[in-house]
Amino acid sequence: MQKKSSVKRPLESVNRRQFIKAAGAAMILPAILPGCATSPGRRLRASDHIKMGVIGWGMQGPGNTQNFLYQDDCQVVAACDLDEKHLQSALDTINGHYQNKDCKAYHDYHELLAREDIDAVMIAVPDHWHELVATEAARRGKDIYGEKPLARTIAEQQRIVRAVEKNNVIWQTGSWQRSGATFRKAAEIVRNGLIGTITRVEIGLPDGHHDFAGTEKPLLDKLASLNENITSPAQVVPGTRAWDLAVTPPPSELDYNTWIGPSTMEPYIEARIHRNWRWNYNTGGGQLMDWIGHHCDIAHWGMGFDRTGPSEVEGHGEFPPDNAIWNTSPKYRIEALYEKSVTGYSADVPFTIAGGYPDIRSGVKWIGTDGWVWVDRGGFDASNPEWKKYKNLPDDLARVKLYVSNNHFRNFLDCVKSRQPTITPVETAHHSTIPGHLGLISMLVRRKLRWDVKHEKIIDDPAASTLLTRPYRAPWRMA
């Protein structure tokens, strides 16, 4: 009996039959798609225990780990973090759950990954560390539960995809919405052609900055003595009295040099480290990249776009000063065009991805010639009131059935044993986030981009192409 976790956690005019045929290769419990074939890997019997290591104990790490702790066939045996306080919290949580001292602590993830008894790892580190940790885990043959976005840049994502496929490891992305029945129902309505020809897709993401770590208010309280009306870290830049007050020595328990790692070295400022690293482009990608792997992932799922992408992207965003403590765009709007010549659909499909624009509702909305459907974590709505009554789409409507997972963590463990693809494999994660990456690049260079979907290159724009990757600070090197 599984224990319950305590964590809360296309197309000119086409008819329904033609739509289903176009969607035809839809996933049905579970699909095996190009780049997502059965992984040989190490074989575990259904009765075997999976030994797991966890890397990262900040925002996502504790919740993810709690979910694995409550799976009877999984034992967490190792934890790694660069902050001694975080690491101790991980040990207390894990060993406290098992009522023993078997979980071992590591400062260096290489040492954890070198353990031959570890079958799988959960990775929840800041975005700027994703590529290095994930590729090393894959090289060591560990199956991986990794967080979204897949990586800080497209080039880093490509390296993760290659490493996972080369080493035949199982990958599950933390895009857990695919394991939710409401999201699956909405996607199946679209995939079964119930709203007719798709004419538009709208994706609403959060805007602004959110003080996940609770470190913004203490900083603003400190800066209040300057009487400069500073209301956000996004206003604080180098060369000011506010900056001088914000910069402090790193705490002794944090290995700050390694935490910055491959990114550009910057002065330590508490408000942009744990959890709030998302609001600094040196380490994260703002609300756009924090959420693109959730809602764009679902939009792609409904359209059958897991292995394709937009051919044209144009983004507009508002930015704080690029050297501010928080410098990510708080308001943005991206128009992306998925061309029929690439997707195989009979018409081009425009996507709008936006944060901070009231005309784009939070969540995902597919709009078709015969109706519409909208889904978010907070609810479901559709042009046909009958659809709201269904928990799952009835068989007579759902000729195309999507991959069913009722627990994202359980799905990963099952796939570790079966060597079948998870519901969110690495190629899916890669393509779900590409529209966000391209949108951000377009916002930064302030022009429309053309994207070669097959070869994953920006067309005829060398300056924009440089932003597909980023330089690594020595001694770190991209794998």
Side-chain angles (χ1 to χ4, degrees):
M1 183 83 175
Q2 180 180 313
K3 298 178 183 178
K4 184 178 180 182
S5 170
S6 60
V7 177
K8 295 178 181 177
R9 280 258 328 148
L11 320 207
E12 231 174 49
S13 183
V14 294
N15 61 30
R16 180 174 170 232
R17 179 173 297 177
Q18 289 171 316
F19 187 102
I20 293 170
K21 185 177 180 180
M27 292 190 283
I28 305 177
L29 289 179
I32 298 178
L33 297 169
C36 196
T38 301
S39 299
R42 64 176 76 191
R43 281 286 178 181
L44 293 172
R45 295 170 301 181
S47 60
D48 285 345
H49 266 64
I50 297 169
K51 290 189 176 180
M52 177 174 283
V54 298
I55 303 173
W57 196 264
M59 184 168 169
Q60 296 299 124
N64 290 347
T65 303
Q66 287 276 11
N67 277 283
F68 285 118
L69 291 176
Y70 285 91
Q71 301 295 325
D72 290 337
D73 58 349
C74 176
Q75 182 182 1
V76 181
V77 299
C80 178
D81 199 277
L82 295 172
D83 187 308
E84 292 176 1
K85 289 184 177 179
H86 288 193
L87 186 55
Q88 188 59 54
S89 175
L91 292 178
D92 292 344
T93 299
I94 298 164
N95 286 331
H97 173 84
Y98 295 124
Q99 294 297 297
N100 60 32
K101 298 290 184 182
D102 292 348
C103 183
K104 304 304 180 187
Y106 294 89
H107 178 89
D108 185 344
Y109 68 91
H110 294 91
E111 296 177 2
L112 183 152
L113 294 173
R115 283 182 52 170
E116 294 185 0
D117 64 320
I118 290 178
D119 304 298
V121 289
M122 185 286 299
I123 302 172
V125 296
D127 294 357
H128 68 292
W129 264 105
H130 282 196
E131 187 268 343
L132 289 171
V133 180
T135 54
E136 177 66 11
R139 190 180 71 82
R140 291 284 188 171
K142 312 303 183 187
D143 295 325
I144 302 166
Y145 185 104
E147 276 301 332
K148 46 84 225 150
L150 187 56
R152 179 61 190 82
T153 65
I154 289 178
E156 290 169 290
Q157 293 191 171
Q158 292 167 334
R159 284 163 172 78
I160 293 175
V161 171
R162 287 198 291 268
V164 167
E165 294 180 344
K166 177 182 178 181
N167 294 284
N168 296 312
V169 300
I170 295 296
W171 178 283
Q172 177 82 297
T173 315
S175 300
W176 57 265
Q177 292 179 165
R178 289 203 185 198
S179 291
T182 303
F183 286 100
R184 184 174 64 253
K185 178 179 75 170
E188 284 189 345
I189 287 171
V190 179
R191 288 288 280 272
N192 281 278
L194 300 184
I195 60 173
T197 301
I198 305 303
T199 60
R200 181 176 181 79
V201 179
E202 297 177 352
I203 302 170
L205 307 181
D207 59 349
H209 304 110
H210 185 80
D211 183 20
F212 287 118
T215 51
E216 178 186 26
K217 186 178 185 303
L219 174 62
L220 297 181
D221 288 346
K222 181 191 291 188
L223 301 183
S225 63
L226 299 176
N227 295 316
E228 295 180 358
N229 194 30
I230 296 172
T231 59
S232 168
Q235 297 171 256
V236 181
V237 297
T240 63
R241 293 188 300 161
W243 180 270
D244 292 341
L245 281 176
V247 173
T248 64
S252 60
E253 65 269 12
L254 175 65
D255 178 356
Y256 181 63
N257 180 63
T258 304
W259 188 91
I260 284 288
S263 291
T264 301
M265 176 53 71
E266 297 179 320
Y268 176 85
I269 298 175
E270 184 184 26
R272 65 179 179 193
I273 308 301
H274 296 320
R275 300 183 177 219
N276 287 336
W277 50 261
R278 292 164 169 79
W279 319 134
N280 178 7
Y281 284 129
N282 193 39
T283 50
Q287 294 281 24
L288 169 60
M289 295 311 303
D290 213 37
W291 277 83
I292 195 72
H294 282 309
H295 289 338
C296 190
D297 179 67
I298 295 299
H300 277 189
W301 200 25
M303 294 298 299
F305 284 176
D306 282 356
R307 296 297 183 272
T308 189
S311 299
E312 187 175 285
V313 177
E314 184 171 11
H316 299 275
E318 299 177 2
F319 291 94
D322 59 10
N323 58 355
I325 294 175
W326 290 355
N327 62 10
T328 59
S329 176
K331 184 178 181 180
Y332 49 90
R333 190 180 187 104
I334 299 162
E335 304 294 340
L337 186 65
Y338 289 69
E339 294 182 347
K340 61 183 180 181
S341 60
V342 176
T343 64
Y345 280 13
S346 60
D348 299 340
V349 182
F351 275 46
T352 298
I353 304 166
Y357 286 83
D359 63 311
I360 305 298
R361 188 178 182 184
S362 174
V364 184
K365 185 177 184 180
W366 299 268
I367 302 165
T369 54
D370 297 336
W372 55 269
V373 60
W374 166 87
V375 68
D376 196 4
R377 294 180 184 181
F380 171 93
D381 201 1
S383 53
N384 186 338
E386 289 296 310
W387 298 339
K388 301 179 189 179
K389 301 175 183 178
Y390 303 138
K391 181 178 180 181
N392 298 298
L393 203 60
D395 289 346
D396 62 325
L397 297 178
R399 291 175 57 190
V400 175
K401 292 184 180 294
L402 298 181
Y403 190 140
V404 176
S405 162
N406 295 314
N407 183 300
H408 212 58
F409 303 92
R410 182 67 255 162
N411 175 247
F412 173 65
L413 298 177
D414 288 343
C415 291
V416 168
K417 294 182 178 183
S418 70
R419 312 313 296 170
Q420 295 296 315
T422 68
I423 196 168
T424 54
V426 70
E427 275 276 10
T428 295
H430 178 48
H431 286 91
S432 292
T433 55
I434 282 176
H437 283 300
L438 294 176
L440 177 56
I441 293 172
S442 175
M443 287 157 57
L444 292 169
V445 300
R446 299 185 179 184
R447 55 181 172 270
K448 184 184 296 185
L449 305 178
R450 290 286 300 166
W451 178 245
D452 181 334
V453 177
K454 181 178 180 180
H455 299 101
E456 297 190 354
K457 295 179 179 179
I458 293 174
I459 300 171
D460 296 331
D461 195 332
S465 296
T466 63
L467 299 179
L468 292 172
T469 188
R470 65 191 179 106
Y472 270 28
R473 182 172 69 101
W476 289 275
R477 296 171 56 187
M478 202 174 294

